Amino acid sequence: MTQSNDRWNPLKLVDTLNFFGEVPLVGNVRWLQQMFGAASNPQAPAADALKPTRAVVLLSEAGPAADALRKIFEDRGMVVRSQLLPMDSPLPETAANRIVNTQAVLWKGVPNDEECLSAQIADLQQLPTSEECSLFDFRTANLDTLREVWGAVDDVVMGGASASGLSLLPGYGRFAGNVSTANSGGFASVRTRNFDPPFDLSSWQGVRLVVRGDGQRYKVILRNSNNWDSLAYCTSVDTEAEQWLGIDIPFAAMQATFRAKTQSTAPPLNPSTVCSWQLMLSKFEYDGNQNPHFRAGAFSLDVRSLGVYRPSKAPVTILIASSPEQAATYTTLLAQSGLAHQVLTRDEPEFAMKLLQALPSH
């Protein structure tokens, strides 16, 4: 963890400006650094490359029948997420109150499971569904890439003494350090270099992050400009100590600010040109107000992933009955649900082909 001693560190300021290629009163000289061998700015993936990996969710007791069903899909290159039952267990993703990247929910029936199935149908009717695409997945991130893309921007840029950084731990990234209010400071952050070309997120609805904090309020910041000191589109998010949270931030909810002052006449965020990303802990909220959950000293925000999301249609529900009689009962249960569904029996002719045909086409 980066330490602070409540004294301004000019060398840290030089490190920050060098990392981002900024010279006071001159502007960005990243192009000059690249002429002398520095790496190019990171490139955002093309918009049509941001495709979520859609999966089949298998609800089944463990055993050969479940293994055979998995094999039908996996042999065709499909992703299968298994949920082993007792039958009253919730659907995957309910901890985050959503069903994500799911094209079908497959229920492998057993005798006398109708009451449990009714509960699962109720879940499917109530839970919101969405697609997501992870842009920064710290579970699988490469340390060299992390160091090339993310750098600290602390209040050292205005004479403060805070210090922070982003490190990799097994399964997540950790934004941590020490924030000090000395010298009129009070913020620490990590920010990406400008992406060139920028992210085109126009087909998505907002930012989705999975974080574990320390009970403080943090900011998520996006920018449409390559300029160092430009409009920042911000949203504040509250964390719970030692609790993983899935947080959705609609692009429309991000407010334009400049040096923590809201800009009511500024245009809204343009998702088609997102140049940089930033995570911040600050004693300053907006327009002179204080962050009500801020405390000086050591802090820590763990991040599993940072990406985008959009609403999607409810997945098709495919039920595999253990007998023709149970199939008729399943059909009755689903008839009034409003869910797209298909009922099959395991021993009917050409079962595998019918199972695959029940999947929605994309």
Short mmCIF file of all heavy atoms in Angstrom, two decimals, residues 168-221:
data_model
loop_
_atom_site.label_atom_id
_atom_site.label_comp_id
_atom_site.label_asym_id
_atom_site.label_seq_id
_atom_site.Cartn_x
_atom_site.Cartn_y
_atom_site.Cartn_z
N LEU A 168 -2.85 -5.75 -8.06
CA LEU A 168 -3.59 -6.97 -8.36
C LEU A 168 -3.43 -7.96 -7.22
O LEU A 168 -2.32 -8.24 -6.77
CB LEU A 168 -3.08 -7.60 -9.66
CG LEU A 168 -3.65 -7.09 -10.97
CD1 LEU A 168 -3.07 -7.89 -12.13
CD2 LEU A 168 -5.17 -7.17 -10.99
N LEU A 169 -4.56 -8.51 -6.79
CA LEU A 169 -4.60 -9.60 -5.83
C LEU A 169 -5.37 -10.75 -6.47
O LEU A 169 -6.04 -10.56 -7.49
CB LEU A 169 -5.28 -9.13 -4.54
CG LEU A 169 -4.55 -8.01 -3.78
CD1 LEU A 169 -5.40 -7.51 -2.62
CD2 LEU A 169 -3.20 -8.49 -3.28
N PRO A 170 -5.28 -11.96 -5.93
CA PRO A 170 -5.98 -13.08 -6.55
C PRO A 170 -7.49 -12.84 -6.65
O PRO A 170 -8.19 -12.76 -5.65
CB PRO A 170 -5.66 -14.26 -5.61
CG PRO A 170 -4.36 -13.89 -4.99
CD PRO A 170 -4.42 -12.40 -4.80
N GLY A 171 -7.98 -12.66 -7.86
CA GLY A 171 -9.41 -12.53 -8.09
C GLY A 171 -9.95 -11.12 -8.14
O GLY A 171 -11.13 -10.92 -8.42
N TYR A 172 -9.11 -10.10 -7.92
CA TYR A 172 -9.62 -8.73 -7.95
C TYR A 172 -8.46 -7.73 -7.96
O TYR A 172 -7.31 -8.08 -7.66
CB TYR A 172 -10.55 -8.44 -6.77
CG TYR A 172 -9.97 -8.73 -5.41
CD1 TYR A 172 -9.26 -7.76 -4.70
CD2 TYR A 172 -10.14 -9.98 -4.82
CE1 TYR A 172 -8.73 -8.03 -3.45
CE2 TYR A 172 -9.61 -10.26 -3.56
CZ TYR A 172 -8.90 -9.28 -2.88
OH TYR A 172 -8.37 -9.55 -1.64
N GLY A 173 -8.77 -6.49 -8.31
CA GLY A 173 -7.82 -5.40 -8.17
C GLY A 173 -8.12 -4.64 -6.90
O GLY A 173 -9.25 -4.64 -6.41
N ARG A 174 -7.10 -3.97 -6.35
CA ARG A 174 -7.29 -3.21 -5.12
C ARG A 174 -6.79 -1.78 -5.31
O ARG A 174 -5.60 -1.54 -5.52
CB ARG A 174 -6.57 -3.86 -3.95
CG ARG A 174 -6.57 -3.00 -2.67
CD ARG A 174 -6.18 -3.81 -1.46
NE ARG A 174 -7.27 -4.72 -1.06
CZ ARG A 174 -7.16 -5.62 -0.07
NH1 ARG A 174 -6.01 -5.73 0.60
NH2 ARG A 174 -8.19 -6.40 0.23
N PHE A 175 -7.74 -0.82 -5.26
CA PHE A 175 -7.43 0.60 -5.23
C PHE A 175 -7.30 0.98 -3.76
O PHE A 175 -8.28 0.92 -3.01
CB PHE A 175 -8.55 1.38 -5.92
CG PHE A 175 -8.55 2.86 -5.67
CD1 PHE A 175 -7.38 3.61 -5.65
CD2 PHE A 175 -9.76 3.52 -5.47
CE1 PHE A 175 -7.41 4.98 -5.43
CE2 PHE A 175 -9.80 4.89 -5.25
CZ PHE A 175 -8.62 5.62 -5.22
N ALA A 176 -6.09 1.33 -3.33
CA ALA A 176 -5.86 1.54 -1.91
C ALA A 176 -4.76 2.57 -1.70
O ALA A 176 -3.99 2.89 -2.61
CB ALA A 176 -5.49 0.22 -1.22
N GLY A 177 -4.68 3.05 -0.49
CA GLY A 177 -3.64 4.01 -0.15
C GLY A 177 -3.97 4.72 1.14
O GLY A 177 -4.66 4.20 2.01
N ASN A 178 -3.51 5.97 1.22
CA ASN A 178 -3.74 6.80 2.38
C ASN A 178 -4.15 8.18 1.90
O ASN A 178 -3.42 8.81 1.12
CB ASN A 178 -2.47 6.88 3.23
CG ASN A 178 -2.72 7.52 4.59
OD1 ASN A 178 -2.99 8.71 4.68
ND2 ASN A 178 -2.60 6.73 5.64
N VAL A 179 -5.31 8.64 2.33
CA VAL A 179 -5.78 9.96 1.91
C VAL A 179 -5.62 10.92 3.08
O VAL A 179 -6.00 10.63 4.21
CB VAL A 179 -7.24 9.89 1.40
CG1 VAL A 179 -8.20 9.48 2.49
CG2 VAL A 179 -7.66 11.21 0.79
N SER A 180 -5.02 12.07 2.78
CA SER A 180 -4.70 13.07 3.80
C SER A 180 -5.37 14.39 3.45
O SER A 180 -5.49 14.75 2.27
CB SER A 180 -3.18 13.27 3.86
OG SER A 180 -2.84 14.40 4.66
N THR A 181 -5.81 15.10 4.48
CA THR A 181 -6.39 16.43 4.27
C THR A 181 -5.36 17.54 4.49
O THR A 181 -5.71 18.72 4.50
CB THR A 181 -7.58 16.64 5.22
OG1 THR A 181 -7.13 16.47 6.58
CG2 THR A 181 -8.69 15.64 4.92
N ALA A 182 -4.09 17.16 4.64
CA ALA A 182 -3.04 18.16 4.82
C ALA A 182 -2.91 19.02 3.57
O ALA A 182 -3.20 18.58 2.45
CB ALA A 182 -1.71 17.47 5.13
N ASN A 183 -2.49 20.27 3.76
CA ASN A 183 -2.24 21.19 2.64
C ASN A 183 -3.48 21.42 1.79
O ASN A 183 -3.39 21.57 0.58
CB ASN A 183 -1.09 20.69 1.76
CG ASN A 183 0.16 20.41 2.54
OD1 ASN A 183 0.41 21.01 3.58
ND2 ASN A 183 0.96 19.47 2.05
N SER A 184 -4.66 21.38 2.43
CA SER A 184 -5.95 21.60 1.74
C SER A 184 -6.26 20.51 0.73
O SER A 184 -7.05 20.71 -0.19
CB SER A 184 -5.98 22.98 1.05
OG SER A 184 -5.80 24.01 2.00
N GLY A 185 -5.62 19.34 0.90
CA GLY A 185 -5.90 18.24 0.00
C GLY A 185 -7.06 17.40 0.52
O GLY A 185 -7.85 17.82 1.36
N GLY A 186 -7.14 16.16 0.01
CA GLY A 186 -8.20 15.28 0.48
C GLY A 186 -8.77 14.37 -0.58
O GLY A 186 -9.93 13.97 -0.49
N PHE A 187 -7.98 14.01 -1.62
CA PHE A 187 -8.50 13.02 -2.57
C PHE A 187 -7.37 12.16 -3.09
O PHE A 187 -6.20 12.57 -3.15
CB PHE A 187 -9.26 13.68 -3.72
CG PHE A 187 -8.41 14.40 -4.73
CD1 PHE A 187 -7.81 13.72 -5.79
CD2 PHE A 187 -8.23 15.78 -4.65
CE1 PHE A 187 -7.04 14.39 -6.73
CE2 PHE A 187 -7.46 16.46 -5.58
CZ PHE A 187 -6.85 15.75 -6.63
N ALA A 188 -7.74 10.95 -3.45
CA ALA A 188 -6.84 9.99 -4.08
C ALA A 188 -7.62 9.29 -5.18
O ALA A 188 -8.83 9.08 -5.05
CB ALA A 188 -6.32 8.98 -3.05
N SER A 189 -6.94 8.95 -6.27
CA SER A 189 -7.64 8.30 -7.37
C SER A 189 -6.68 7.52 -8.24
O SER A 189 -5.46 7.72 -8.19
CB SER A 189 -8.38 9.34 -8.22
OG SER A 189 -7.48 10.05 -9.07
N VAL A 190 -7.26 6.62 -9.03
CA VAL A 190 -6.54 5.95 -10.11
C VAL A 190 -7.32 6.19 -11.39
O VAL A 190 -8.55 6.17 -11.41
CB VAL A 190 -6.35 4.44 -9.85
CG1 VAL A 190 -5.30 4.21 -8.78
CG2 VAL A 190 -7.66 3.76 -9.48
N ARG A 191 -6.57 6.45 -12.46
CA ARG A 191 -7.17 6.85 -13.74
C ARG A 191 -6.45 6.13 -14.87
O ARG A 191 -5.26 5.85 -14.78
CB ARG A 191 -7.04 8.37 -13.89
CG ARG A 191 -7.52 8.96 -15.20
CD ARG A 191 -7.46 10.48 -15.11
NE ARG A 191 -7.64 11.13 -16.40
CZ ARG A 191 -7.70 12.46 -16.57
NH1 ARG A 191 -7.61 13.27 -15.53
NH2 ARG A 191 -7.86 12.97 -17.78
N THR A 192 -7.18 5.83 -15.93
CA THR A 192 -6.55 5.23 -17.09
C THR A 192 -5.90 6.31 -17.95
O THR A 192 -6.30 7.48 -17.93
CB THR A 192 -7.55 4.48 -17.97
OG1 THR A 192 -8.47 5.40 -18.56
CG2 THR A 192 -8.32 3.44 -17.18
N ARG A 193 -4.89 5.91 -18.69
CA ARG A 193 -4.45 6.75 -19.79
C ARG A 193 -5.61 6.90 -20.78
O ARG A 193 -6.55 6.10 -20.79
CB ARG A 193 -3.25 6.13 -20.49
CG ARG A 193 -1.94 6.26 -19.71
CD ARG A 193 -0.78 5.75 -20.55
NE ARG A 193 0.49 6.16 -19.97
CZ ARG A 193 1.46 5.32 -19.63
NH1 ARG A 193 1.29 4.02 -19.81
NH2 ARG A 193 2.59 5.75 -19.12
N ASN A 194 -5.53 7.90 -21.63
CA ASN A 194 -6.58 8.09 -22.63
C ASN A 194 -6.55 6.94 -23.63
O ASN A 194 -5.49 6.56 -24.14
CB ASN A 194 -6.36 9.40 -23.38
CG ASN A 194 -6.59 10.61 -22.51
OD1 ASN A 194 -7.46 10.61 -21.65
ND2 ASN A 194 -5.80 11.65 -22.72
N PHE A 195 -7.72 6.39 -23.92
CA PHE A 195 -7.84 5.34 -24.92
C PHE A 195 -7.95 5.98 -26.30
O PHE A 195 -8.70 6.94 -26.50
CB PHE A 195 -9.05 4.46 -24.62
CG PHE A 195 -8.78 3.44 -23.56
CD1 PHE A 195 -8.83 3.78 -22.21
CD2 PHE A 195 -8.46 2.13 -23.89
CE1 PHE A 195 -8.57 2.85 -21.23
CE2 PHE A 195 -8.21 1.19 -22.91
CZ PHE A 195 -8.26 1.54 -21.57
N ASP A 196 -7.18 5.45 -27.25
CA ASP A 196 -7.15 5.99 -28.61
C ASP A 196 -7.13 4.83 -29.60
O ASP A 196 -6.09 4.18 -29.76
CB ASP A 196 -5.92 6.87 -28.78
CG ASP A 196 -5.87 7.56 -30.13
OD1 ASP A 196 -6.93 7.63 -30.79
OD2 ASP A 196 -4.78 8.01 -30.52
N PRO A 197 -8.26 4.52 -30.24
CA PRO A 197 -9.53 5.25 -30.18
C PRO A 197 -10.24 5.04 -28.85
O PRO A 197 -9.93 4.09 -28.12
CB PRO A 197 -10.33 4.62 -31.33
CG PRO A 197 -9.78 3.23 -31.45
CD PRO A 197 -8.32 3.36 -31.15
N PRO A 198 -11.21 5.92 -28.56
CA PRO A 198 -11.95 5.79 -27.31
C PRO A 198 -12.97 4.65 -27.38
O PRO A 198 -13.20 4.05 -28.43
CB PRO A 198 -12.65 7.14 -27.17
CG PRO A 198 -12.84 7.59 -28.58
CD PRO A 198 -11.62 7.10 -29.33
N PHE A 199 -13.60 4.37 -26.25
CA PHE A 199 -14.67 3.38 -26.20
C PHE A 199 -15.93 3.95 -26.84
O PHE A 199 -16.34 5.08 -26.53
CB PHE A 199 -15.00 3.01 -24.75
CG PHE A 199 -13.98 2.15 -24.08
CD1 PHE A 199 -12.93 2.73 -23.37
CD2 PHE A 199 -14.06 0.76 -24.14
CE1 PHE A 199 -11.98 1.93 -22.73
CE2 PHE A 199 -13.11 -0.03 -23.51
CZ PHE A 199 -12.07 0.56 -22.80
N ASP A 200 -16.54 3.17 -27.72
CA ASP A 200 -17.87 3.49 -28.24
C ASP A 200 -18.86 2.60 -27.52
O ASP A 200 -19.01 1.42 -27.83
CB ASP A 200 -17.93 3.26 -29.75
CG ASP A 200 -19.30 3.59 -30.33
OD1 ASP A 200 -20.23 3.92 -29.57
OD2 ASP A 200 -19.45 3.50 -31.56
N LEU A 201 -19.54 3.18 -26.53
CA LEU A 201 -20.48 2.44 -25.69
C LEU A 201 -21.91 2.86 -25.96
O LEU A 201 -22.78 2.73 -25.10
CB LEU A 201 -20.13 2.66 -24.21
CG LEU A 201 -18.67 2.35 -23.84
CD1 LEU A 201 -18.40 2.70 -22.38
CD2 LEU A 201 -18.34 0.88 -24.10
N SER A 202 -22.16 3.36 -27.17
CA SER A 202 -23.47 3.93 -27.49
C SER A 202 -24.59 2.89 -27.48
O SER A 202 -25.76 3.24 -27.34
CB SER A 202 -23.43 4.63 -28.84
OG SER A 202 -22.93 3.76 -29.85
N SER A 203 -24.25 1.60 -27.61
CA SER A 203 -25.30 0.57 -27.61
C SER A 203 -25.55 0.02 -26.21
O SER A 203 -26.34 -0.92 -26.06
CB SER A 203 -24.91 -0.57 -28.55
OG SER A 203 -23.74 -1.22 -28.11
N TRP A 204 -24.93 0.62 -25.19
CA TRP A 204 -25.09 0.16 -23.82
C TRP A 204 -25.80 1.21 -22.99
O TRP A 204 -25.89 2.37 -23.38
CB TRP A 204 -23.73 -0.20 -23.21
CG TRP A 204 -23.05 -1.29 -23.96
CD1 TRP A 204 -22.25 -1.16 -25.06
CD2 TRP A 204 -23.14 -2.70 -23.72
NE1 TRP A 204 -21.83 -2.38 -25.51
CE2 TRP A 204 -22.37 -3.35 -24.69
CE3 TRP A 204 -23.79 -3.46 -22.75
CZ2 TRP A 204 -22.24 -4.73 -24.75
CZ3 TRP A 204 -23.66 -4.84 -22.80
CH2 TRP A 204 -22.89 -5.46 -23.78
N GLN A 205 -26.32 0.80 -21.84
CA GLN A 205 -27.11 1.72 -21.01
C GLN A 205 -26.30 2.38 -19.91
O GLN A 205 -26.61 3.50 -19.50
CB GLN A 205 -28.29 0.97 -20.38
CG GLN A 205 -29.25 1.89 -19.61
CD GLN A 205 -30.43 1.14 -19.04
OE1 GLN A 205 -30.29 0.04 -18.52
NE2 GLN A 205 -31.61 1.72 -19.14
N GLY A 206 -25.27 1.72 -19.41
CA GLY A 206 -24.54 2.32 -18.31
C GLY A 206 -23.37 1.48 -17.86
O GLY A 206 -23.01 0.48 -18.50
N VAL A 207 -22.75 1.92 -16.76
CA VAL A 207 -21.58 1.27 -16.18
C VAL A 207 -22.04 0.27 -15.12
O VAL A 207 -22.93 0.56 -14.32
CB VAL A 207 -20.65 2.31 -15.53
CG1 VAL A 207 -19.50 1.63 -14.79
CG2 VAL A 207 -20.12 3.28 -16.59
N ARG A 208 -21.42 -0.88 -15.11
CA ARG A 208 -21.66 -1.89 -14.07
C ARG A 208 -20.32 -2.24 -13.43
O ARG A 208 -19.36 -2.57 -14.12
CB ARG A 208 -22.31 -3.15 -14.64
CG ARG A 208 -22.44 -4.29 -13.65
CD ARG A 208 -23.33 -5.41 -14.20
NE ARG A 208 -24.71 -4.98 -14.26
CZ ARG A 208 -25.70 -5.68 -14.85
NH1 ARG A 208 -25.42 -6.82 -15.45
NH2 ARG A 208 -26.94 -5.23 -14.85
N LEU A 209 -20.26 -2.14 -12.11
CA LEU A 209 -19.05 -2.52 -11.41
C LEU A 209 -19.38 -3.44 -10.24
O LEU A 209 -20.46 -3.37 -9.67
CB LEU A 209 -18.27 -1.30 -10.92
CG LEU A 209 -18.90 -0.33 -9.94
CD1 LEU A 209 -17.81 0.47 -9.22
CD2 LEU A 209 -19.80 0.68 -10.67
N VAL A 210 -18.44 -4.32 -9.94
CA VAL A 210 -18.57 -5.22 -8.80
C VAL A 210 -17.43 -4.88 -7.85
O VAL A 210 -16.25 -5.04 -8.19
CB VAL A 210 -18.50 -6.69 -9.23
CG1 VAL A 210 -18.63 -7.61 -8.02
CG2 VAL A 210 -19.60 -7.00 -10.24
N VAL A 211 -17.77 -4.36 -6.66
CA VAL A 211 -16.76 -3.82 -5.75
C VAL A 211 -17.00 -4.29 -4.33
O VAL A 211 -18.11 -4.67 -3.94
CB VAL A 211 -16.75 -2.28 -5.78
CG1 VAL A 211 -16.35 -1.75 -7.15
CG2 VAL A 211 -18.11 -1.71 -5.37
N ARG A 212 -15.94 -4.23 -3.55
CA ARG A 212 -16.01 -4.47 -2.11
C ARG A 212 -15.24 -3.33 -1.45
O ARG A 212 -14.03 -3.19 -1.62
CB ARG A 212 -15.38 -5.81 -1.74
CG ARG A 212 -15.38 -6.10 -0.23
CD ARG A 212 -14.83 -7.48 0.06
NE ARG A 212 -13.43 -7.61 -0.37
CZ ARG A 212 -12.74 -8.76 -0.32
NH1 ARG A 212 -13.32 -9.87 0.11
NH2 ARG A 212 -11.48 -8.80 -0.71
N GLY A 213 -15.94 -2.51 -0.70
CA GLY A 213 -15.33 -1.33 -0.14
C GLY A 213 -15.12 -1.40 1.36
O GLY A 213 -15.13 -2.47 1.98
N ASP A 214 -14.97 -0.22 1.94
CA ASP A 214 -14.71 -0.09 3.36
C ASP A 214 -15.75 0.79 4.05
O ASP A 214 -15.52 1.31 5.13
CB ASP A 214 -13.32 0.51 3.59
CG ASP A 214 -13.10 1.78 2.77
OD1 ASP A 214 -14.08 2.30 2.19
OD2 ASP A 214 -11.95 2.25 2.70
N GLY A 215 -16.91 0.94 3.40
CA GLY A 215 -17.98 1.74 3.97
C GLY A 215 -17.95 3.20 3.56
O GLY A 215 -18.85 3.96 3.93
N GLN A 216 -16.96 3.60 2.75
CA GLN A 216 -16.87 4.99 2.32
C GLN A 216 -17.58 5.18 0.98
O GLN A 216 -17.96 4.23 0.30
CB GLN A 216 -15.41 5.42 2.23
CG GLN A 216 -14.68 5.34 3.56
CD GLN A 216 -13.40 6.16 3.56
OE1 GLN A 216 -13.44 7.38 3.62
NE2 GLN A 216 -12.26 5.47 3.50
N ARG A 217 -17.73 6.44 0.61
CA ARG A 217 -18.36 6.81 -0.67
C ARG A 217 -17.27 7.16 -1.67
O ARG A 217 -16.41 8.00 -1.42
CB ARG A 217 -19.30 8.00 -0.49
CG ARG A 217 -19.92 8.51 -1.78
CD ARG A 217 -20.93 9.60 -1.53
NE ARG A 217 -22.10 9.07 -0.82
CZ ARG A 217 -23.13 9.82 -0.44
NH1 ARG A 217 -23.12 11.13 -0.65
NH2 ARG A 217 -24.16 9.26 0.18
N TYR A 218 -17.31 6.49 -2.81
CA TYR A 218 -16.33 6.68 -3.88
C TYR A 218 -17.00 7.31 -5.10
O TYR A 218 -18.22 7.36 -5.20
CB TYR A 218 -15.68 5.34 -4.25
CG TYR A 218 -14.79 4.77 -3.18
CD1 TYR A 218 -15.33 4.09 -2.07
CD2 TYR A 218 -13.42 4.93 -3.23
CE1 TYR A 218 -14.51 3.57 -1.07
CE2 TYR A 218 -12.59 4.40 -2.23
CZ TYR A 218 -13.14 3.75 -1.16
OH TYR A 218 -12.33 3.24 -0.17
N LYS A 219 -16.17 7.77 -6.03
CA LYS A 219 -16.68 8.32 -7.28
C LYS A 219 -16.21 7.46 -8.45
O LYS A 219 -15.07 6.98 -8.46
CB LYS A 219 -16.19 9.75 -7.49
CG LYS A 219 -16.79 10.78 -6.54
CD LYS A 219 -16.24 12.18 -6.85
CE LYS A 219 -16.83 13.22 -5.90
NZ LYS A 219 -16.29 14.58 -6.17
N VAL A 220 -17.10 7.30 -9.42
CA VAL A 220 -16.76 6.72 -10.72
C VAL A 220 -16.82 7.85 -11.73
O VAL A 220 -17.82 8.58 -11.79
CB VAL A 220 -17.74 5.60 -11.10
CG1 VAL A 220 -17.39 5.04 -12.48
CG2 VAL A 220 -17.73 4.49 -10.05
N ILE A 221 -15.76 8.00 -12.52
CA ILE A 221 -15.63 9.17 -13.39
C ILE A 221 -15.27 8.72 -14.80
O ILE A 221 -14.35 7.93 -15.01
CB ILE A 221 -14.53 10.13 -12.86
CG1 ILE A 221 -14.84 10.55 -11.42
CG2 ILE A 221 -14.39 11.35 -13.75
CD1 ILE A 221 -13.72 11.33 -10.76
#
